Amino acid sequence: MPVKGFKFSAVEAAVKKPGRLDLGLIFSEVPAVAAGVFTTNKVKAAPVVLGIERIKDGLCQAIVVNSGNANACTGIRGMDDARETSRLVAEGLGIADEVVQVASTGVIGQVLPMERLRAAVPKLVEGLESGSLDGVSRAIMTTDTFAKMEIRQCEAAGVPYTIAGIAKGAGMIMPNMATMLAFIVTDAAVEQSWLKKVFSESNDASFNIISVDGDTSTNDTSLILANGMAGNPTIREGTGDAETFRSQLQAVLLALAQQIVRDGEGATKFVEISIKGAQSVADAKKAAMAVANSSLVKTAFFGQDANWGRILAAVGYSGAEVDADRIELFFDDVQMVRNGVFTGGNAEEKGSEVLKRKEFAVTVDLKLGQGEATVYTSDLSYEYVKINADYRT
């Protein structure tokens, strides 16, 4: 499903090692209104520093991204390399340097092999005539085991438009945001200030409700470009078309976020954690994230051990208001806890059967109010340790 006015390219630059696509380019034929969300880590990679500055203008025409090297903790040299990469792409495309966004992912602390990037950029630009968004999605993978892409087709005032997104991420996944990159393109015409608002909200409702291992990266970048080439009347806040755009954008981002969790490093389980009955939404999210990030809970999921006590302990230290004598807990539809006490009988056996599934839900009802929150997480396996012990070799 094409996105009007956008072209894509991916090539091998041997950034870390040869034998795979590792340099991608997204190009809009016209300058697009743009918005971005970046890592909250105080140690920010050079491309993130550059991107935060450039996104202030609300315009972007190209995104160039490499995998295999994060260009993080590389000092002045790293900033120079990020700027040179941008300049090389801008010159190749014949556009202003300031409308190029640069992104990187991979090993921290190593300088980019600029001689390889310089050699690869002409091929990258040339490849726009035959490349695909899928190619870029594969070029940004690191420990990912599959490429992540999602597409929706919508209408505004009867005019069809498309929202398409790609993402990468499998480890160092936790708000805010995750060790991830996400690039969303749409040919819809969207008012820039509202796009910035709705994109931030959509990130909160997707990439900020997932966790694989509780780590936050130096390179997290989520960008959206809207070039208006579908020809629809500009979508503005407060209209029916705006609500359609919001819901479809959130659907794309949430689907990508869930793909990241399913591809968690070494993960064998996809788990939905839902907190109900909290005193507030903030309390519900605190409790949900505490459960999702608990290593003890996640290893119990991997071991298929219905250890509900670990879940209650995480809820208890989360900072949410809790009355231990009211809590109810379910694995899917199997009630494990009622009024803070194990339900007994064959609940242990039934609960363990639920945990043998590849996907299941954990629901905790605090019985204190109307606050609710849902987050998504994975288990923590032997393979996770192996992957990260060998990551740089």
Side-chain angles (χ1 to χ4, degrees), residues 293-304:
N293 287 326
S294 167
S295 295
L296 287 177
V297 171
K298 291 158 76 69
T299 50
F301 290 158
F302 174 64
Q304 302 173 162

Side-chain angles (χ1 to χ4, degrees), residues 184-220:
I184 316 299
V185 295
T186 179
D187 47 19
V190 186
E191 195 271 325
Q192 197 278 330
S193 62
W194 183 71
L195 181 68
K196 179 180 178 180
K197 176 183 176 182
V198 74
F199 191 57
S200 177
E201 292 172 351
S202 296
N203 273 268
D204 280 343
S206 56
F207 298 127
N208 279 346
I209 59 168
I210 61 174
S211 179
V212 169
D213 52 14
D215 263 298
T216 299
S217 169
T218 55
N219 288 63
D220 310 334

